[in-house]
Amino acid sequence: MDTAPVEVIRASDQAITALDPVRSRLLAHLREPRSASGLARELGLPRQRVNYHLRQLEDQGLVVSAGERRWGGITERLVVATARAYVISPEAMGPAAPPEPGERPDRLSAAFLLALAAQTVRHLGSLLSRSRRTGGRVETFALQTDVTLASPAARADFARDLAAAVTGVVARYHDERTPGGRAHRLVIGAYPLPPTEEEHHD
């Protein structure tokens, strides 16, 4: 099984398993195939404890078998994580997950931006799950940039101009009449950089 660059954890049982401190360390070390004894040496843990946690990860489908190897006259079983990194979908929170963005949202609120981000993770998790079943590629594209705005007035002007530009581009390409066309979700958001990120950006 090929290790995916990133996997979205959508089930609460999987999330609980992955968030255990020992198991999250194991997942980080299992980006390449390892044996239980090798992991025990690397992490300084008893092999029996490592085996227990590996079984929990395997039961949740986060770790899979990766063959065997001979080591010092002993045959060791190898395992590997299903992905190099994991993201936990808000849907793993069940009823406590953020709701879908409202029909009349406050577009200037952080809560609305978080709702959009949560929705995006949910949608991408579903698409990635389907792509693994079908072998197809998830057709996505993304843009990211930083902009320094001099004042609240400049921010308002920037938001207005950006909205006008995006509306114009969407109007130029949107075509719901052509058979076989596929709808895409476009999400644009902006937020102040946290102080540490802002210092790094400068």
Side-chain angles (χ1 to χ4, degrees):
M1 175 180 177
D2 293 334
T3 301
V6 63
E7 181 174 330
V8 179
I9 294 176
R10 303 169 64 197
S12 58
D13 288 345
Q14 276 191 323
I16 291 170
T17 299
L19 286 172
D20 177 90
V22 174
R23 293 168 199 159
S24 64
R25 289 177 66 196
L26 288 173
L27 287 173
H29 280 73
L30 283 169
R31 290 168 180 160
E32 302 294 337
R34 295 280 193 281
S35 66
S37 59
L39 287 167
R41 288 192 298 271
E42 291 176 33
L43 298 177
L45 296 172
R47 179 174 175 175
Q48 185 176 5
R49 187 180 179 193
V50 170
N51 275 323
Y52 167 78
H53 288 295
L54 287 177
R55 284 195 300 271
Q56 301 300 311
L57 290 168
E58 282 192 89
D59 288 345
Q60 291 299 326
L62 297 170
V63 164
V64 294
S65 176
E68 298 177 341
R69 73 175 176 189
R70 298 282 295 177
W71 180 263
I74 299 174
T75 299
E76 292 186 323
R77 178 173 177 260
L78 302 177
V79 293
V80 67
T82 56
R84 298 187 63 81
Y86 296 87
V87 174
I88 295 179
S89 173
E91 63 195 297
M93 291 296 295
E100 292 288 330
E103 294 182 1
R104 297 182 179 177
D106 177 2
R107 300 186 186 281
L108 299 180
S109 73
F112 177 61
L113 184 54
L114 280 171
L116 285 177
Q119 184 187 67
T120 300
V121 172
R122 287 196 298 269
H123 288 174
L124 285 174
S126 178
L127 289 170
L128 286 171
S129 178
R130 186 173 64 181
S131 74
R132 285 195 298 272
R133 293 195 306 268
T134 64
R137 181 183 176 89
V138 181
E139 298 176 356
T140 64
F141 60 89
L143 298 172
Q144 176 179 294
T145 189
D146 296 335
V147 56
T148 300
L149 302 171
S151 65
R155 183 180 64 182
D157 291 343
F158 172 77
R160 183 197 63 235
D161 291 346
L162 180 61
V166 170
T167 299
V169 172
V170 170
R172 189 158 65 246
Y173 288 95
H174 179 63
D175 182 359
E176 60 185 15
R177 295 171 298 178
T178 301
R182 184 168 187 182
H184 286 67
R185 174 66 50 80
L186 176 65
V187 176
I188 297 177
Y191 54 89
L193 286 176
T196 53
E197 292 289 336
E198 193 169 10
E199 292 168 4
H200 178 73
H201 176 67
D202 293 340

